Amino acid sequence: MATTPAPLAAPSQLTHYLSVAVPARLADEGARIGLVLLALQRTHSASLGGALVAALMIPHVVAAPVLGALADRVRRRKLFHASCLLTYGLGLAATALTVGRLPAGYALALVAATGCAAPLVTGGLTSLLGELVPPDRLSRAFSIDSTSYNLAGICGPAVAAALSAAAGPASALVVLGAAGVFAAGAMATLRLAPRPGTRERSARLRPADLATGALELLKNPPLRAVTWASSAGQIGIGALPVLTALLAKQYDAGWAAGGLMTAFAAGALAGSLIYAVRPWTETHPERVVLACLLTTGPPLALAAVRPSLALTALLFALSGVCTGPLFSALLAARERYAPTAVRTQIFTLGAGLKSTAAAGGAAVAGALGGLGTSTLLLAAAACQLLATGLGAALLATRRDARVSRASEDFRADESSGSRRARTAAPRTTESRNTTEPRTPWENGT
């Protein structure tokens, strides 16, 4: 009877969480379009629009370690998250008053300051799910959360463009900012219990604390595998917006630039929903990540043979379907393998690395556009295959670490001079003192 309230409470907690995540991520995705349109309207400068988007996006990476570390240490996490969301929303609204009316430097500084709160809009929010949803429902919760990213990717730019056409880009940014403020209010009322032991932790943030999460991404085999493999794959995915623009020109169909990316995003949404209904595994999300990376590439490679535009859109959708479960499993892997003390850092750093990889992919595709769409599509597909190999190689050290530890334990037993140790079978990590803390990857679960 004691376990009955948790399943009943979980849906309302998840719904409440989504009331925070969806508007916040809509604002984040829509802001990029709104900033460009505002710069074009007031200054007729596409370069300023690009600089504003860069000023908003760069802090996604630069500020991630700091915000993640603070979120892992602060006592009142709900207030901290709500304050960051409020800062993001008010910053977007204030930008509508500065672009084209104050020197560009002031506008860029304001947008950059706004972007510093962005890591908690993406990975920072997702890191809270493990404390809001029962463990047996986490895989499904992460799948549902991934749909909020997909919906934001589809609807955010569309909402910004529609509002800009109807009422002007400034009004669009104000509305998007209001969505961020609404998310902050919803966050302030989220039932989030204080973290156990938080009162005893030092409130001072030391420089070494900023590297703790990054070190975990280097030494924790399953976490390392999914992080770097998904980031490598994201290089190819990040090139797709450039590729769709080139394909639209090749097929002489202007709608294809946005239409192909919409097909890809719709496929990702469908994949996330399918995985939410029936997760493939509860205990080994890293395997799902690698399997989906492997299957994301073939549809893109087939699109390189220049089929009809309708078939190309279908292939983009099929590739997107594979990225839906991939992202859901990636979130689940971060939750499963990240130590509690640095969980938010892991989520914000992981999101930042993916954003950086996507930006790099777009830049490379733009620079190599002269090679043609077929070559670039094959390169995007190859990124997925190479990412799978990278992840498999990094994950292989998981077993090697356990074997090495077992060998060390056996040698220690022999050197102790114990006759029983000499005749006994080698000890595995499972025979270690149960009071010694172990990570899930050592347990092999």
Side-chain angles (χ1 to χ4, degrees):
M1 297 298 293
T3 59
T4 301
L8 293 176
S12 62
Q13 279 285 75
L14 183 58
T15 301
H16 194 156
Y17 166 84
L18 291 174
S19 73
V20 179
V22 171
R25 289 165 184 164
L26 277 173
D28 187 44
E29 292 289 342
R32 305 169 200 180
I33 298 297
L35 288 171
V36 173
L37 293 177
L38 183 63
L40 289 173
Q41 182 194 58
R42 290 186 178 172
T43 68
H44 306 289
S45 173
S47 61
L48 176 60
L52 288 170
V53 173
L56 183 69
M57 295 302 298
I58 290 174
H60 279 64
V61 181
V62 177
V66 178
L67 275 186
L70 287 173
D72 282 325
R73 301 176 69 84
V74 71
R75 289 180 58 190
R76 299 180 179 180
R77 292 174 297 155
K78 184 165 62 175
L79 178 61
F80 181 72
H81 281 261
S83 299
C84 288
L85 292 172
L86 181 63
T87 299
Y88 193 77
L90 293 178
L92 290 181
T95 301
L97 304 176
T98 59
V99 174
R101 295 176 178 173
L102 293 177
Y106 289 100
L108 290 170
L110 175 60
V111 173
T114 301
C116 286
L120 290 191
V121 175
T122 53
L125 279 179
T126 301
S127 69
L128 300 177
L129 271 178
E131 301 179 51
L132 300 174
V133 180
D136 61 332
R137 300 192 175 196
L138 264 181
S139 292
R140 185 164 297 173
F142 282 125
S143 297
I144 294 173
D145 186 46
S146 70
T147 65
S148 72
Y149 288 94
N150 296 326
L151 284 172
I154 296 172
C155 300
V159 168
L163 288 174
S164 296
S171 298
L173 279 176
V174 170
V175 172
L176 293 172
V181 173
F182 175 85
M187 182 71 214
T189 59
L190 187 67
R191 295 195 301 275
L192 183 63
R195 183 183 292 110
T198 301
R199 289 181 178 273
E200 286 72 27
R201 299 176 68 184
S202 171
R204 176 178 294 182
L205 185 64
R206 300 169 299 175
D209 296 328
L210 302 180
T212 306
L215 289 175
E216 196 67 30
L217 294 179
L218 294 174
K219 69 180 184 180
N220 185 320
L223 196 57
R224 175 177 60 192
V226 299
T227 299
W228 298 107
S230 62
S231 296
Q234 196 67 18
I235 296 174
I237 302 302
L240 293 185
V242 177
L243 280 169
T244 56
L246 294 174
L247 285 168
K249 183 177 181 180
Q250 174 183 303
Y251 285 102
D252 194 23
W255 64 269
L260 292 175
M261 286 308 301
T262 299
F264 185 88
L269 176 60
S272 296
L273 292 174
I274 292 170
Y275 193 74
V277 173
R278 188 176 294 275
W280 303 336
T281 178
E282 298 285 348
T283 56
H284 294 288
E286 66 276 15
R287 297 177 183 175
V288 178
V289 171
L290 298 185
C292 290
L293 277 171
L294 185 62
T295 55
T296 298
L300 297 177
L302 289 175
V305 302
R306 299 190 180 185
S308 67
L309 189 54
L311 184 54
T312 299
L314 177 61
L315 291 170
F316 267 69
L318 288 175
S319 183
V321 167
C322 299
T323 66
L326 189 159
F327 189 46
S328 301
L330 174 62
L331 299 179
R334 290 174 185 166
E335 169 64 28
R336 180 173 179 79
Y337 298 114
T340 302
V342 293
R343 179 181 295 139
T344 309
Q345 271 197 75
I346 296 299
F347 273 88
T348 55
L349 279 170
L353 286 171
K354 286 191 66 181
S355 296
T356 302
V364 171
L368 301 180
L371 295 178
T373 56
S374 295
T375 301
L376 293 178
L377 280 168
L378 288 174
C383 282
Q384 313 312 307
L385 181 61
L386 293 174
T388 305
L390 173 63
L394 293 175
L395 193 59
T397 60
R398 173 181 181 177
R399 183 177 64 84
D400 295 341
R402 294 204 300 269
V403 172
S404 176
R405 182 59 181 264
S407 177
E408 290 174 4
D409 285 352
F410 181 55
R411 287 195 299 269
D413 284 344
E414 284 191 322
S415 64
S416 69
S418 168
R419 186 177 185 84
R420 180 177 299 176
R422 289 192 186 98
T423 58
R427 295 164 59 198
T428 66
T429 55
E430 297 301 324
S431 63
R432 286 165 23 197
N433 189 331
T434 56
T435 62
E436 181 181 350
R438 295 175 296 180
T439 56
W441 63 268
E442 286 185 300
N443 287 329
T445 57

